[in-house]
Amino acid sequence: MCGIVAYVGLKPCQTLLMEGLKRLEYRGYDSAGIAVIQDGGLHVAKAVGRVANLEDRLESIGNFHGTTGLCHTRWATHGGVTEINAHPHTDDKNGIAVVHNGIIENYAALKTYLEEKGHVFKSQTDTEVLAMLIGELYSPAEGIDLEAAVQAALREVTGAYAIAVICEKEPDTLVVARKGSPLLVGVGNNEFVVASDASAIVAHTAQAFKVDDYNVVKITPKGFRTSTINNVPVTPKIEQLELELQEIELGGYAHFMQKEIFEQPKALRNCFRGRMDVRESKVVLGGLNDHAKELTKARRTVLVAQGTALHAAMIGEYLLEDLAKVPSRAEYASEFRYRNPIIEENTVVVAVSQSGETADTLAALHEAKDRGALALGVINVVGSSISRETDAGVYLRVGPEIGVASTKAFTGQVAVLTLITLFMARRRFMSNEQCSDLMAELDRLPEKIERVLESDAKIRKVTERYIGKENWLFLGRGYNYPTALEGALKLKEISYIHAEGMPAAEMKHGPIALITDGMPAVFIANKGKQYDKVMSNIQEVRARGGHVIAVATEGDNEIRKYAEDVLYIPDIPEPLSPMLAVVPLQLMAYHAAVLRGHDVDKPRNLAKSVTVE
Ligand code: AGP
């Protein structure tokens, strides 16, 4: 959602804070701000737009030199994109500054209470209410220092938060706290770097601990104290950060999305490494061994997720039913959690998420666990909230994903769901041979993706041909219906072209009315059980003047007669084909965004991880 970086130590911290904030910009980028304590006072600067605008502002007002500070990059929830609404927010009497990621749900009631006490608000945000409340409770004379004031304020708050707080009356103190939104404390020599995720910390230290829910950490250059909001001491576990700096560098690519598309072969090799024992035709998923019996007896699986992760979950649904014979369904987590779901005995709920922080998916997981389901996670970010709240799970191991438009995490999620399916299927109905054959095909998948990536230039050319078109359709059947949804989502979220994905058979039940001359219709038409059906659907579009772009199997010359453009992928068994067929769609979306001059890695109105409902 938003990105937070804070520092307390012995050196001037502006540069460190700005560098960290730029690494977190994928979390939200509509405005940014910084506050430091120097010369006995609080100094604040804010700017609308990118962190670069804030740097320009600091340049113009004279850079800060304080050694205690915090900063923030925003994804607006309460109040428009203005300088006033940008963080940090301050109180009106004690020189207290707060940055916040999350939502204070009862802010309106607290605001009324504080207005009755005479406080005057400048912004429309929920966060300013928190700053005022901390200021109202702050009373060193009565022994209520900054830490105690933050604890007291958070006992009044409902909602989700990760916050950092400083006060000009305690120049060497930084107080941070968390409930729901992620927050890490990086431990250095006489200095501490606090951030929403590791990418803003790894350049300074590899030692860090996660702040747990309802925990508050008081930090000075000399050390830190962790306690609950009720002031019960807590001892956090300091761990080695797994992230390396080069993983979060562009590495010669123009955009992180492009880098992550081209990293997919390597990412999938990492994902499969040590997990496929072809000789024993066994899938090895250490994280699931303790629940192997329950998984063998599973009577139903429900997969919960949002966005791209949901499209991967939908392919998981097809795989589990088709190959493991487990009744399965993929659901919007946001719908699942509020529709009073029926969770019978031996139900397995699988939460699929790249970030592991998506609030809707986390809440759906809680709902399922409360109703007795075995809760599994298919997650990329190690140690994320969802991964810590599941009973067991499998990490994607595809490396950090920075581009807001998810790509390698999608193929990684489908790959892991395929492994989980084989893990269950081998314990239910699947033969050695069938399992070995599929594992052998999985082993060959990275090289097949490399072959598709070699046709990048051709895919760019095809995209150029339709770049002026404002409405596109994406169509697929069976395993590749969710792939069509994913292709449409990728195009929408980074090129801002309106696109609709749907089962190819559904078109004639209405959407076919949208087809006009030259309208691009992307079909996933690789060889498979429903190939002939897809060909009929292609004819329906052509008959109405639509232009067909077909993703087809190498060697299929027949399809050339019916499609304006054909993007070939190597032959592959149908259940595995989504991981291959999606690659040309990812590249088309990427090139469309570049050709339209959009900021590919930070598309408008989006954020990499959505930590509020
Ligand atoms: C995909 O490109 C988007 N970034 C978005 O739809 C994303 O998939 C969704 O928000 C779920 O995120 P998660 O995988 O981190 O839970």
Side-chain angles (χ1 to χ4, degrees):
M1 199 58 144
C2 304
I4 288 173
V5 189
Y7 174 90
V8 63
L10 306 177
K11 62 179 187 245
C13 60
Q14 178 187 307
T15 309
L16 177 151
L17 291 175
M18 286 296 108
E19 289 308 316
L21 206 56
K22 276 188 266 181
R23 291 203 183 282
L24 295 187
E25 214 172 2
Y26 67 91
R27 301 177 62 88
Y29 31 83
D30 59 37
S31 57
I34 180 173
V36 301
I37 299 171
Q38 63 187 42
D39 312 329
L42 188 66
H43 296 255
V44 178
K46 304 182 183 185
V48 170
R50 296 297 151 75
V51 173
N53 296 359
L54 178 60
E55 285 182 315
D56 296 345
R57 170 65 51 83
L58 287 164
E59 203 64 39
S60 66
I61 61 173
N63 291 314
F64 295 161
H65 57 264
T67 60
T68 302
L70 43 75
C71 61
H72 182 272
T73 180
R74 184 177 185 232
W75 192 87
T77 57
H78 293 68
V81 175
T82 64
E83 203 168 304
I84 286 286
N85 289 336
H87 296 210
H89 288 284
T90 55
D91 79 322
D92 54 5
K93 52 182 177 165
N94 299 298
I96 288 171
V98 176
V99 289
H100 167 223
N101 173 22
I103 286 185
I104 307 296
E105 285 165 2
N106 62 337
Y107 84 102
L110 293 169
K111 191 170 184 175
T112 309
Y113 158 77
L114 290 161
E115 282 170 337
E116 281 158 10
K117 286 209 164 263
H119 296 282
V120 179
F121 289 85
K122 297 193 288 292
S123 78
Q124 297 122 5
T125 67
D126 51 338
T127 306
E128 189 184 9
V129 174
L130 189 54
M132 284 297 188
L133 182 61
I134 294 168
E136 173 65 26
L137 296 164
Y138 183 68
S139 175
E142 294 166 86
I144 304 175
D145 64 3
L146 188 63
E147 180 190 29
V150 169
Q151 288 169 328
L154 295 179
R155 289 196 290 271
E156 306 303 325
V157 153
T158 59
Y161 55 80
I163 60 170
V165 186
I166 56 175
C167 172
E168 65 187 19
K169 295 178 179 161
E170 297 181 32
D172 297 327
T173 299
L174 167 65
V175 175
V176 301
R178 179 249 166 132
K179 180 205 166 247
S181 305
L183 200 63
L184 279 170
V185 176
V187 182
N189 294 330
N190 302 319
E191 63 173 20
F192 296 83
V193 183
V194 178
S196 301
D197 71 43
S199 57
I201 293 175
V202 276
H204 311 289
T205 173
Q207 297 295 307
F209 64 88
K210 298 179 185 67
V211 183
D212 282 332
D213 276 353
Y214 299 108
N215 280 8
V216 173
V217 189
K218 174 181 179 177
I219 313 172
T220 69
K222 296 196 181 67
F224 64 88
R225 187 184 97 93
T226 305
S227 61
T228 67
I229 59 173
N230 298 311
N231 204 26
V232 177
V234 174
T235 309
K237 193 157 155 265
I238 298 177
E239 295 168 304
Q240 178 84 10
L241 287 174
E242 295 196 359
L243 187 63
E244 278 160 42
L245 210 48
Q246 49 85 15
E247 289 182 286
I248 51 176
E249 305 284 2
L250 270 173
Y253 287 92
H255 301 99
F256 281 105
M257 182 186 180
Q258 184 192 34
K259 176 188 178 206
E260 288 149 10
I261 292 173
F262 280 83
E263 275 181 340
Q264 291 180 106
K266 187 180 92 191
L268 288 184
R269 288 190 178 101
N270 289 345
C271 174
F272 294 143
R273 188 166 297 112
R275 290 172 164 175
M276 297 201 285
D277 180 343
V278 177
R279 232 163 359 87
E280 297 292 319
S281 74
K282 260 191 178 327
V283 167
V284 184
L285 294 172
L288 300 187
N289 281 343
D290 296 351
H291 300 279
K293 277 211 171 49
E294 288 153 282
L295 291 172
T296 310
K297 284 190 294 179
R299 290 183 43 206
R300 170 176 292 284
T301 62
V302 180
L303 303 103
V304 291
Q306 300 288 143
T308 285
L310 178 69
H311 299 150
M314 290 170 72
I315 295 166
E317 173 192 316
Y318 281 74
L319 288 161
L320 286 159
E321 294 220 334
D322 182 16
L323 302 177
K325 310 299 178 212
V326 186
S328 302
R329 89 173 171 271
E331 299 236 14
Y332 283 101
S334 53
E335 291 301 312
F336 175 85
R337 66 156 307 189
Y338 284 115
R339 74 173 176 74
N340 196 10
I342 299 164
I343 299 289
E344 306 113 333
E345 215 184 329
N346 295 333
T347 295
V348 177
V349 166
V350 184
V352 183
S353 172
Q354 187 287 127
S355 61
E357 302 292 351
T358 300
D360 289 313
T361 308
L362 187 57
L365 178 76
H366 289 151
E367 191 67 26
K369 283 182 75 179
D370 294 350
R371 291 169 186 246
L374 171 67
L376 301 186
V378 172
I379 309 290
N380 193 34
V381 177
V382 175
S384 54
S385 307
I386 295 177
S387 68
R388 292 190 290 155
E389 308 227 5
T390 45
D391 300 312
V394 183
Y395 283 122
L396 308 187
R397 294 190 195 152
V398 298
E401 189 177 69
I402 310 273
V404 170
S406 184
T407 53
K408 65 176 180 176
F410 173 76
T411 45
Q413 285 156 352
V414 178
V416 165
L417 288 166
T418 308
L419 292 175
I420 292 175
T421 299
L422 296 180
F423 182 93
M424 293 169 77
R426 276 293 288 121
R427 284 169 174 74
R428 296 165 68 94
F429 310 101
M430 184 178 277
S431 67
N432 275 8
E433 294 67 42
Q434 192 187 6
C435 188
S436 300
D437 293 350
L438 281 168
M439 286 203 293
E441 282 291 347
L442 281 173
D443 220 26
R444 286 193 285 273
L445 178 60
E447 179 224 319
K448 289 184 176 178
I449 293 180
E450 277 157 357
R451 273 167 48 200
V452 176
L453 293 170
E454 282 157 18
S455 57
D456 181 37
K458 171 163 185 213
I459 294 167
R460 181 191 165 98
K461 274 218 170 48
V462 170
T463 311
E464 274 168 3
R465 211 165 293 145
Y466 300 95
I467 198 62
K469 301 291 180 186
E470 290 303 334
N471 297 292
W472 295 46
L473 287 180
F474 286 76
L475 302 140
R477 279 176 173 255
Y479 279 100
N480 283 307
Y481 152 47
T483 314
L485 294 176
E486 179 55 13
L489 175 61
K490 286 281 103 47
L491 192 70
K492 279 186 269 194
E493 66 180 321
I494 56 169
S495 75
Y496 317 150
I497 292 171
H498 175 249
E500 195 174 345
M502 69 188 77
E506 174 60 11
M507 202 182 34
K508 52 187 173 296
H509 302 283
I512 198 164
L514 292 171
I515 297 190
T516 52
D517 256 359
M519 178 181 190
V522 181
F523 277 86
I524 295 112
N526 55 302
K527 290 290 180 192
K529 282 201 292 283
Q530 300 184 60
Y531 177 79
D532 296 343
K533 302 288 181 218
V534 173
M535 292 305 278
S536 324
N537 299 136
I538 285 178
Q539 301 298 7
E540 290 155 10
V541 168
R542 283 172 59 77
R544 288 151 183 87
H547 279 198
V548 173
I549 304 164
V551 175
T553 303
E554 281 169 359
D556 178 354
N557 296 321
E558 182 64 16
I559 199 162
R560 285 176 181 284
K561 297 189 198 129
Y562 309 108
E564 270 69 23
D565 296 284
V566 182
L567 304 173
Y568 285 108
I569 60 173
D571 191 19
I572 189 165
E574 200 162 0
L576 309 183
S577 62
M579 290 179 274
L580 213 43
V582 77
V583 179
L585 310 185
Q586 295 168 340
L587 286 168
M588 254 200 289
Y590 172 72
H591 289 305
V594 172
L595 289 163
R596 287 189 164 213
H598 297 325
D599 186 333
V600 173
D601 285 336
K602 298 185 188 72
R604 72 183 181 205
N605 303 341
L606 286 181
K608 181 66 184 168
S609 123
V610 183
T611 52
V612 293
E613 283 185 61

